[in-house]
Amino acid sequence: MGVHNEFGKLGEEKAVAFLIKNGYQIRYRNYRYLKAEIDVIAQKGETLAIVEVRSRSSEFHESIADTIGKKKIKLLIMAADHYVVENDLDVDVRFDVITILKKGNSFILNHLEDCFNFF
């Protein structure tokens, strides 16, 4: 596995640990539907959080969260809809982004809730 992939996996591990620590139940990791992949599906109460994890190892001129394009958002919505229907869930759905920035030996994690509000 390449260094980039290993860093991405580490970012997802940190995101999952953060979510669990903050009262979320992890329902699924790396959920795939057609060409879409959801990094983490987590639930807290009656809210299902569809979580995109973005990890970077240095400062960027743009926000890490802003690197998610319209195509990716469309795929996330399609996969989330499939997951909810397939599992016959009656929940509110929210799209979150967790950004993880590595600075030296430390990590800065930011949880952005309700990033894509289309409904």
Side-chain angles (χ1 to χ4, degrees):
M1 182 180 300
V3 173
H4 175 74
N5 290 339
E6 289 176 17
F7 183 64
K9 289 286 184 193
L10 176 62
E12 285 185 22
E13 292 293 331
K14 290 192 173 297
V16 165
F18 170 84
L19 290 166
I20 291 170
K21 180 181 174 186
N22 285 280
Y24 289 84
Q25 173 191 3
I26 305 304
R27 294 186 59 107
Y28 211 102
R29 293 181 65 180
N30 304 114
Y31 179 77
R32 292 183 181 274
Y33 175 66
L34 300 177
K35 294 182 178 182
E37 180 181 358
I38 299 171
D39 293 330
V40 181
I41 300 174
Q43 187 168 351
K44 187 173 186 179
E46 297 300 314
T47 301
L48 191 70
I50 306 302
V51 182
E52 175 70 9
V53 180
R54 291 290 165 129
S55 304
R56 296 288 185 265
S57 58
S58 64
E59 290 286 354
F60 275 51
H61 296 293
E62 64 182 327
S63 166
I64 299 171
D66 290 340
T67 64
I68 302 169
K70 290 179 184 179
K71 182 178 179 182
K72 177 65 175 183
I73 292 169
K74 184 177 178 181
L75 289 170
L76 287 170
I77 292 169
M78 177 186 64
D81 183 60
H82 182 266
Y83 181 83
V84 169
V85 170
E86 180 180 59
N87 290 283
D88 194 28
L89 299 177
D90 183 19
V91 293
D92 293 323
V93 177
R94 184 180 79 207
F95 294 87
D96 293 0
V97 176
I98 293 181
T99 62
I100 298 170
L101 180 63
K102 184 175 188 222
K103 288 186 120 183
N105 291 328
S106 63
F107 295 88
I108 299 167
L109 186 146
N110 193 15
H111 183 194
L112 307 167
E113 296 181 359
D114 206 11
C115 290
F116 320 130
N117 194 358
F118 297 100
F119 308 102

